[in-house]
PDB file of all heavy atoms in Angstrom:
ATOM      1  N   GLY A   8      -6.780   0.408  -4.808  1.00 73.00           N
ATOM      2  CA  GLY A   8      -6.060   1.541  -4.245  1.00 73.00           C
ATOM      3  C   GLY A   8      -6.176   2.803  -5.070  1.00 73.00           C
ATOM      4  O   GLY A   8      -6.745   2.829  -6.168  1.00 73.00           O
ATOM      5  N   ALA A   9      -5.563   3.863  -4.533  1.00 63.00           N
ATOM      6  CA  ALA A   9      -5.689   5.197  -5.117  1.00 63.00           C
ATOM      7  C   ALA A   9      -4.898   5.370  -6.396  1.00 63.00           C
ATOM      8  O   ALA A   9      -5.143   6.299  -7.159  1.00 63.00           O
ATOM      9  CB  ALA A   9      -5.232   6.244  -4.095  1.00 63.00           C
ATOM     10  N   SER A  10      -3.925   4.497  -6.649  1.00 63.00           N
ATOM     11  CA  SER A  10      -3.069   4.702  -7.814  1.00 63.00           C
ATOM     12  C   SER A  10      -3.864   4.651  -9.116  1.00 63.00           C
ATOM     13  O   SER A  10      -3.511   5.302 -10.092  1.00 63.00           O
ATOM     14  CB  SER A  10      -1.950   3.661  -7.855  1.00 63.00           C
ATOM     15  OG  SER A  10      -2.462   2.371  -8.154  1.00 63.00           O
ATOM     16  N   TRP A  11      -4.953   3.880  -9.129  1.00 67.00           N
ATOM     17  CA  TRP A  11      -5.728   3.747 -10.364  1.00 67.00           C
ATOM     18  C   TRP A  11      -6.360   5.083 -10.755  1.00 67.00           C
ATOM     19  O   TRP A  11      -6.299   5.500 -11.902  1.00 67.00           O
ATOM     20  CB  TRP A  11      -6.809   2.679 -10.204  1.00 67.00           C
ATOM     21  CG  TRP A  11      -7.415   2.288 -11.517  1.00 67.00           C
ATOM     22  CD1 TRP A  11      -8.459   2.883 -12.160  1.00 67.00           C
ATOM     23  CD2 TRP A  11      -6.966   1.232 -12.366  1.00 67.00           C
ATOM     24  NE1 TRP A  11      -8.700   2.259 -13.350  1.00 67.00           N
ATOM     25  CE2 TRP A  11      -7.809   1.234 -13.514  1.00 67.00           C
ATOM     26  CE3 TRP A  11      -5.969   0.275 -12.278  1.00 67.00           C
ATOM     27  CZ2 TRP A  11      -7.659   0.321 -14.548  1.00 67.00           C
ATOM     28  CZ3 TRP A  11      -5.822  -0.636 -13.310  1.00 67.00           C
ATOM     29  CH2 TRP A  11      -6.654  -0.600 -14.431  1.00 67.00           C
ATOM     30  N   ALA A  12      -6.923   5.766  -9.789  1.00 65.00           N
ATOM     31  CA  ALA A  12      -7.578   7.038 -10.083  1.00 65.00           C
ATOM     32  C   ALA A  12      -6.563   8.136 -10.401  1.00 65.00           C
ATOM     33  O   ALA A  12      -6.797   8.994 -11.258  1.00 65.00           O
ATOM     34  CB  ALA A  12      -8.438   7.468  -8.902  1.00 65.00           C
ATOM     35  N   LEU A  13      -5.402   8.081  -9.740  1.00 60.00           N
ATOM     36  CA  LEU A  13      -4.411   9.129  -9.933  1.00 60.00           C
ATOM     37  C   LEU A  13      -3.540   8.904 -11.162  1.00 60.00           C
ATOM     38  O   LEU A  13      -2.965   9.837 -11.707  1.00 60.00           O
ATOM     39  CB  LEU A  13      -3.500   9.217  -8.696  1.00 60.00           C
ATOM     40  CG  LEU A  13      -4.173   9.649  -7.397  1.00 60.00           C
ATOM     41  CD1 LEU A  13      -3.179   9.582  -6.253  1.00 60.00           C
ATOM     42  CD2 LEU A  13      -4.725  11.071  -7.540  1.00 60.00           C
ATOM     43  N   GLY A  14      -3.441   7.652 -11.589  1.00 61.00           N
ATOM     44  CA  GLY A  14      -2.509   7.305 -12.652  1.00 61.00           C
ATOM     45  C   GLY A  14      -1.254   6.737 -12.017  1.00 61.00           C
ATOM     46  O   GLY A  14      -0.584   7.413 -11.234  1.00 61.00           O
ATOM     47  N   ALA A  15      -0.957   5.479 -12.322  1.00 55.00           N
ATOM     48  CA  ALA A  15       0.104   4.770 -11.617  1.00 55.00           C
ATOM     49  C   ALA A  15       1.447   5.472 -11.690  1.00 55.00           C
ATOM     50  O   ALA A  15       2.187   5.531 -10.717  1.00 55.00           O
ATOM     51  CB  ALA A  15       0.225   3.341 -12.159  1.00 55.00           C
ATOM     52  N   ASP A  16       1.792   6.030 -12.842  1.00 58.00           N
ATOM     53  CA  ASP A  16       3.101   6.665 -12.989  1.00 58.00           C
ATOM     54  C   ASP A  16       3.146   8.052 -12.374  1.00 58.00           C
ATOM     55  O   ASP A  16       4.206   8.665 -12.273  1.00 58.00           O
ATOM     56  CB  ASP A  16       3.488   6.733 -14.465  1.00 58.00           C
ATOM     57  CG  ASP A  16       3.829   5.354 -15.025  1.00 58.00           C
ATOM     58  OD1 ASP A  16       4.165   4.477 -14.208  1.00 58.00           O
ATOM     59  OD2 ASP A  16       3.745   5.164 -16.244  1.00 58.00           O
ATOM     60  N   GLU A  17       1.980   8.573 -11.948  1.00 54.00           N
ATOM     61  CA  GLU A  17       1.936   9.894 -11.334  1.00 54.00           C
ATOM     62  C   GLU A  17       1.901   9.811  -9.811  1.00 54.00           C
ATOM     63  O   GLU A  17       1.810  10.819  -9.136  1.00 54.00           O
ATOM     64  CB  GLU A  17       0.687  10.648 -11.822  1.00 54.00           C
ATOM     65  CG  GLU A  17       0.652  10.855 -13.339  1.00 54.00           C
ATOM     66  CD  GLU A  17      -0.666  11.463 -13.794  1.00 54.00           C
ATOM     67  OE1 GLU A  17      -1.466  11.836 -12.919  1.00 54.00           O
ATOM     68  OE2 GLU A  17      -0.891  11.562 -15.007  1.00 54.00           O
ATOM     69  N   ALA A  18       1.982   8.601  -9.284  1.00 55.00           N
ATOM     70  CA  ALA A  18       1.817   8.433  -7.835  1.00 55.00           C
ATOM     71  C   ALA A  18       2.918   7.544  -7.247  1.00 55.00           C
ATOM     72  O   ALA A  18       2.631   6.549  -6.588  1.00 55.00           O
ATOM     73  CB  ALA A  18       0.443   7.820  -7.558  1.00 55.00           C
ATOM     74  N   PRO A  19       4.187   7.889  -7.472  1.00 57.00           N
ATOM     75  CA  PRO A  19       5.262   7.003  -7.031  1.00 57.00           C
ATOM     76  C   PRO A  19       5.414   6.896  -5.518  1.00 57.00           C
ATOM     77  O   PRO A  19       6.017   5.943  -5.025  1.00 57.00           O
ATOM     78  CB  PRO A  19       6.506   7.651  -7.656  1.00 57.00           C
ATOM     79  CG  PRO A  19       6.147   9.092  -7.808  1.00 57.00           C
ATOM     80  CD  PRO A  19       4.685   9.096  -8.141  1.00 57.00           C
ATOM     81  N   GLU A  20       4.882   7.867  -4.768  1.00 62.00           N
ATOM     82  CA  GLU A  20       5.090   7.867  -3.328  1.00 62.00           C
ATOM     83  C   GLU A  20       3.936   7.224  -2.558  1.00 62.00           C
ATOM     84  O   GLU A  20       3.945   7.220  -1.328  1.00 62.00           O
ATOM     85  CB  GLU A  20       5.289   9.310  -2.835  1.00 62.00           C
ATOM     86  CG  GLU A  20       6.431  10.051  -3.514  1.00 62.00           C
ATOM     87  CD  GLU A  20       7.758   9.317  -3.373  1.00 62.00           C
ATOM     88  OE1 GLU A  20       7.990   8.718  -2.293  1.00 62.00           O
ATOM     89  OE2 GLU A  20       8.544   9.313  -4.332  1.00 62.00           O
ATOM     90  N   LEU A  21       2.955   6.721  -3.238  1.00 60.00           N
ATOM     91  CA  LEU A  21       1.830   6.113  -2.547  1.00 60.00           C
ATOM     92  C   LEU A  21       2.263   4.827  -1.843  1.00 60.00           C
ATOM     93  O   LEU A  21       3.175   4.149  -2.289  1.00 60.00           O
ATOM     94  CB  LEU A  21       0.709   5.802  -3.536  1.00 60.00           C
ATOM     95  CG  LEU A  21      -0.069   6.995  -4.083  1.00 60.00           C
ATOM     96  CD1 LEU A  21      -1.071   6.532  -5.125  1.00 60.00           C
ATOM     97  CD2 LEU A  21      -0.780   7.742  -2.966  1.00 60.00           C
ATOM     98  N   PRO A  22       1.607   4.472  -0.724  1.00 61.00           N
ATOM     99  CA  PRO A  22       1.958   3.232  -0.025  1.00 61.00           C
ATOM    100  C   PRO A  22       1.606   2.004  -0.854  1.00 61.00           C
ATOM    101  O   PRO A  22       0.878   2.077  -1.845  1.00 61.00           O
ATOM    102  CB  PRO A  22       1.119   3.297   1.252  1.00 61.00           C
ATOM    103  CG  PRO A  22      -0.031   4.186   0.900  1.00 61.00           C
ATOM    104  CD  PRO A  22       0.523   5.200  -0.060  1.00 61.00           C
ATOM    105  N   GLU A  23       2.110   0.872  -0.411  1.00 64.00           N
ATOM    106  CA  GLU A  23       1.973  -0.382  -1.156  1.00 64.00           C
ATOM    107  C   GLU A  23       0.533  -0.714  -1.515  1.00 64.00           C
ATOM    108  O   GLU A  23       0.231  -1.124  -2.641  1.00 64.00           O
ATOM    109  CB  GLU A  23       2.579  -1.509  -0.319  1.00 64.00           C
ATOM    110  CG  GLU A  23       2.490  -2.877  -0.952  1.00 64.00           C
ATOM    111  CD  GLU A  23       3.135  -3.923  -0.069  1.00 64.00           C
ATOM    112  OE1 GLU A  23       4.303  -3.737   0.309  1.00 64.00           O
ATOM    113  OE2 GLU A  23       2.456  -4.915   0.233  1.00 64.00           O
ATOM    114  N   GLU A  24      -0.375  -0.541  -0.554  1.00 68.00           N
ATOM    115  CA  GLU A  24      -1.768  -0.941  -0.805  1.00 68.00           C
ATOM    116  C   GLU A  24      -2.438  -0.116  -1.896  1.00 68.00           C
ATOM    117  O   GLU A  24      -3.451  -0.535  -2.463  1.00 68.00           O
ATOM    118  CB  GLU A  24      -2.586  -0.852   0.485  1.00 68.00           C
ATOM    119  CG  GLU A  24      -2.583   0.501   1.159  1.00 68.00           C
ATOM    120  CD  GLU A  24      -1.464   0.655   2.176  1.00 68.00           C
ATOM    121  OE1 GLU A  24      -0.494  -0.117   2.117  1.00 68.00           O
ATOM    122  OE2 GLU A  24      -1.569   1.566   3.018  1.00 68.00           O
ATOM    123  N   ALA A  25      -1.873   1.032  -2.226  1.00 72.00           N
ATOM    124  CA  ALA A  25      -2.467   1.879  -3.265  1.00 72.00           C
ATOM    125  C   ALA A  25      -2.334   1.283  -4.650  1.00 72.00           C
ATOM    126  O   ALA A  25      -3.019   1.701  -5.581  1.00 72.00           O
ATOM    127  CB  ALA A  25      -1.822   3.267  -3.243  1.00 72.00           C
ATOM    128  N   TRP A  26      -1.453   0.295  -4.791  1.00 81.00           N
ATOM    129  CA  TRP A  26      -1.166  -0.265  -6.105  1.00 81.00           C
ATOM    130  C   TRP A  26      -1.883  -1.592  -6.351  1.00 81.00           C
ATOM    131  O   TRP A  26      -1.669  -2.227  -7.378  1.00 81.00           O
ATOM    132  CB  TRP A  26       0.342  -0.493  -6.235  1.00 81.00           C
ATOM    133  CG  TRP A  26       1.145   0.739  -6.009  1.00 81.00           C
ATOM    134  CD1 TRP A  26       1.609   1.218  -4.808  1.00 81.00           C
ATOM    135  CD2 TRP A  26       1.573   1.676  -6.990  1.00 81.00           C
ATOM    136  NE1 TRP A  26       2.298   2.379  -4.981  1.00 81.00           N
ATOM    137  CE2 TRP A  26       2.290   2.694  -6.315  1.00 81.00           C
ATOM    138  CE3 TRP A  26       1.421   1.767  -8.374  1.00 81.00           C
ATOM    139  CZ2 TRP A  26       2.856   3.771  -6.971  1.00 81.00           C
ATOM    140  CZ3 TRP A  26       1.993   2.838  -9.029  1.00 81.00           C
ATOM    141  CH2 TRP A  26       2.698   3.833  -8.328  1.00 81.00           C
ATOM    142  N   ARG A  27      -2.733  -1.978  -5.428  1.00 88.00           N
ATOM    143  CA  ARG A  27      -3.288  -3.314  -5.517  1.00 88.00           C
ATOM    144  C   ARG A  27      -4.627  -3.355  -6.255  1.00 88.00           C
ATOM    145  O   ARG A  27      -5.415  -2.411  -6.204  1.00 88.00           O
ATOM    146  CB  ARG A  27      -3.442  -3.933  -4.123  1.00 88.00           C
ATOM    147  CG  ARG A  27      -2.099  -4.052  -3.406  1.00 88.00           C
ATOM    148  CD  ARG A  27      -2.181  -4.820  -2.119  1.00 88.00           C
ATOM    149  NE  ARG A  27      -2.441  -6.231  -2.324  1.00 88.00           N
ATOM    150  CZ  ARG A  27      -1.519  -7.106  -2.720  1.00 88.00           C
ATOM    151  NH1 ARG A  27      -0.293  -6.707  -2.974  1.00 88.00           N
ATOM    152  NH2 ARG A  27      -1.821  -8.367  -2.861  1.00 88.00           N
ATOM    153  N   CYS A  28      -4.844  -4.478  -6.926  1.00 92.00           N
ATOM    154  CA  CYS A  28      -6.115  -4.778  -7.586  1.00 92.00           C
ATOM    155  C   CYS A  28      -6.518  -6.186  -7.181  1.00 92.00           C
ATOM    156  O   CYS A  28      -5.724  -6.947  -6.622  1.00 92.00           O
ATOM    157  CB  CYS A  28      -5.979  -4.706  -9.105  1.00 92.00           C
ATOM    158  SG  CYS A  28      -5.550  -3.082  -9.764  1.00 92.00           S
ATOM    159  N   ARG A  29      -7.754  -6.537  -7.472  1.00 95.00           N
ATOM    160  CA  ARG A  29      -8.201  -7.891  -7.169  1.00 95.00           C
ATOM    161  C   ARG A  29      -9.107  -8.399  -8.277  1.00 95.00           C
ATOM    162  O   ARG A  29      -9.764  -7.623  -8.992  1.00 95.00           O
ATOM    163  CB  ARG A  29      -8.953  -7.938  -5.837  1.00 95.00           C
ATOM    164  CG  ARG A  29     -10.297  -7.224  -5.848  1.00 95.00           C
ATOM    165  CD  ARG A  29     -11.052  -7.437  -4.550  1.00 95.00           C
ATOM    166  NE  ARG A  29     -12.305  -6.697  -4.499  1.00 95.00           N
ATOM    167  CZ  ARG A  29     -13.451  -7.137  -5.024  1.00 95.00           C
ATOM    168  NH1 ARG A  29     -13.487  -8.317  -5.627  1.00 95.00           N
ATOM    169  NH2 ARG A  29     -14.543  -6.394  -4.956  1.00 95.00           N
ATOM    170  N   PHE A  30      -9.147  -9.705  -8.405  1.00 97.00           N
ATOM    171  CA  PHE A  30     -10.133 -10.338  -9.274  1.00 97.00           C
ATOM    172  C   PHE A  30     -11.496 -10.246  -8.584  1.00 97.00           C
ATOM    173  O   PHE A  30     -11.586 -10.430  -7.366  1.00 97.00           O
ATOM    174  CB  PHE A  30      -9.781 -11.804  -9.521  1.00 97.00           C
ATOM    175  CG  PHE A  30      -8.602 -12.001 -10.436  1.00 97.00           C
ATOM    176  CD1 PHE A  30      -7.323 -12.129  -9.917  1.00 97.00           C
ATOM    177  CD2 PHE A  30      -8.773 -12.027 -11.806  1.00 97.00           C
ATOM    178  CE1 PHE A  30      -6.236 -12.303 -10.758  1.00 97.00           C
ATOM    179  CE2 PHE A  30      -7.693 -12.187 -12.654  1.00 97.00           C
ATOM    180  CZ  PHE A  30      -6.416 -12.326 -12.130  1.00 97.00           C
ATOM    181  N   VAL A  31     -12.531  -9.969  -9.347  1.00 95.00           N
ATOM    182  CA  VAL A  31     -13.836  -9.776  -8.727  1.00 95.00           C
ATOM    183  C   VAL A  31     -14.439 -11.084  -8.225  1.00 95.00           C
ATOM    184  O   VAL A  31     -15.360 -11.071  -7.414  1.00 95.00           O
ATOM    185  CB  VAL A  31     -14.823  -9.093  -9.708  1.00 95.00           C
ATOM    186  CG1 VAL A  31     -14.317  -7.722 -10.114  1.00 95.00           C
ATOM    187  CG2 VAL A  31     -15.070  -9.963 -10.939  1.00 95.00           C
ATOM    188  N   HIS A  32     -13.907 -12.215  -8.701  1.00 92.00           N
ATOM    189  CA  HIS A  32     -14.398 -13.520  -8.272  1.00 92.00           C
ATOM    190  C   HIS A  32     -13.275 -14.522  -8.479  1.00 92.00           C
ATOM    191  O   HIS A  32     -12.479 -14.395  -9.415  1.00 92.00           O
ATOM    192  CB  HIS A  32     -15.640 -13.915  -9.094  1.00 92.00           C
ATOM    193  CG  HIS A  32     -16.421 -15.041  -8.484  1.00 92.00           C
ATOM    194  ND1 HIS A  32     -16.036 -16.360  -8.611  1.00 92.00           N
ATOM    195  CD2 HIS A  32     -17.575 -15.050  -7.751  1.00 92.00           C
ATOM    196  CE1 HIS A  32     -16.911 -17.134  -7.982  1.00 92.00           C
ATOM    197  NE2 HIS A  32     -17.852 -16.362  -7.452  1.00 92.00           N
ATOM    198  N   ASP A  33     -13.208 -15.538  -7.604  1.00 92.00           N
ATOM    199  CA  ASP A  33     -12.134 -16.513  -7.756  1.00 92.00           C
ATOM    200  C   ASP A  33     -12.247 -17.295  -9.072  1.00 92.00           C
ATOM    201  O   ASP A  33     -11.242 -17.766  -9.613  1.00 92.00           O
ATOM    202  CB  ASP A  33     -12.080 -17.466  -6.563  1.00 92.00           C
ATOM    203  CG  ASP A  33     -13.363 -18.258  -6.349  1.00 92.00           C
ATOM    204  OD1 ASP A  33     -14.345 -18.045  -7.085  1.00 92.00           O
ATOM    205  OD2 ASP A  33     -13.380 -19.094  -5.419  1.00 92.00           O
ATOM    206  N   ARG A  34     -13.467 -17.389  -9.620  1.00 93.00           N
ATOM    207  CA  ARG A  34     -13.625 -18.077 -10.900  1.00 93.00           C
ATOM    208  C   ARG A  34     -12.969 -17.297 -12.038  1.00 93.00           C
ATOM    209  O   ARG A  34     -12.528 -17.879 -13.031  1.00 93.00           O
ATOM    210  CB  ARG A  34     -15.109 -18.293 -11.212  1.00 93.00           C
ATOM    211  CG  ARG A  34     -15.842 -19.162 -10.215  1.00 93.00           C
ATOM    212  CD  ARG A  34     -15.456 -20.621 -10.325  1.00 93.00           C
ATOM    213  NE  ARG A  34     -16.176 -21.442  -9.374  1.00 93.00           N
ATOM    214  CZ  ARG A  34     -17.360 -21.986  -9.597  1.00 93.00           C
ATOM    215  NH1 ARG A  34     -17.982 -21.754 -10.742  1.00 93.00           N
ATOM    216  NH2 ARG A  34     -17.939 -22.741  -8.694  1.00 93.00           N
ATOM    217  N   VAL A  35     -12.923 -15.981 -11.919  1.00 95.00           N
ATOM    218  CA  VAL A  35     -12.245 -15.171 -12.932  1.00 95.00           C
ATOM    219  C   VAL A  35     -10.752 -15.481 -12.907  1.00 95.00           C
ATOM    220  O   VAL A  35     -10.111 -15.674 -13.948  1.00 95.00           O
ATOM    221  CB  VAL A  35     -12.489 -13.675 -12.715  1.00 95.00           C
ATOM    222  CG1 VAL A  35     -11.730 -12.852 -13.751  1.00 95.00           C
ATOM    223  CG2 VAL A  35     -13.976 -13.351 -12.768  1.00 95.00           C
ATOM    224  N   GLN A  36     -10.186 -15.529 -11.708  1.00 95.00           N
ATOM    225  CA  GLN A  36      -8.772 -15.883 -11.588  1.00 95.00           C
ATOM    226  C   GLN A  36      -8.519 -17.273 -12.153  1.00 95.00           C
ATOM    227  O   GLN A  36      -7.539 -17.498 -12.878  1.00 95.00           O
ATOM    228  CB  GLN A  36      -8.334 -15.831 -10.126  1.00 95.00           C
ATOM    229  CG  GLN A  36      -6.848 -16.157  -9.935  1.00 95.00           C
ATOM    230  CD  GLN A  36      -6.467 -16.350  -8.480  1.00 95.00           C
ATOM    231  OE1 GLN A  36      -7.306 -16.235  -7.581  1.00 95.00           O
ATOM    232  NE2 GLN A  36      -5.204 -16.642  -8.241  1.00 95.00           N
ATOM    233  N   GLN A  37      -9.384 -18.228 -11.844  1.00 94.00           N
ATOM    234  CA  GLN A  37      -9.231 -19.586 -12.351  1.00 94.00           C
ATOM    235  C   GLN A  37      -9.245 -19.607 -13.881  1.00 94.00           C
ATOM    236  O   GLN A  37      -8.444 -20.297 -14.510  1.00 94.00           O
ATOM    237  CB  GLN A  37     -10.340 -20.480 -11.814  1.00 94.00           C
ATOM    238  CG  GLN A  37     -10.272 -20.747 -10.322  1.00 94.00           C
ATOM    239  CD  GLN A  37     -11.509 -21.469  -9.828  1.00 94.00           C
ATOM    240  OE1 GLN A  37     -12.213 -22.136 -10.585  1.00 94.00           O
ATOM    241  NE2 GLN A  37     -11.792 -21.327  -8.542  1.00 94.00           N
TER     242      GLN A  37
END
């Protein structure tokens, strides 16, 4: 989401999906 580029603490009004990240592979999560 957009919060990463803007800075998380500078974007309090962004929608929920703006704060999400993902593991690049399920093996990384494992």
Side-chain angles (χ1 to χ4, degrees):
S10 70
W11 193 273
L13 295 175
D16 289 338
E17 300 174 7
E20 303 303 323
L21 288 176
E23 179 179 306
E24 56 269 19
W26 303 87
R27 299 188 69 77
C28 297
R29 68 174 176 84
F30 287 93
V31 299
H32 196 281
D33 59 357
R34 298 288 181 88
V35 178
Q36 182 190 359
Q37 292 172 23

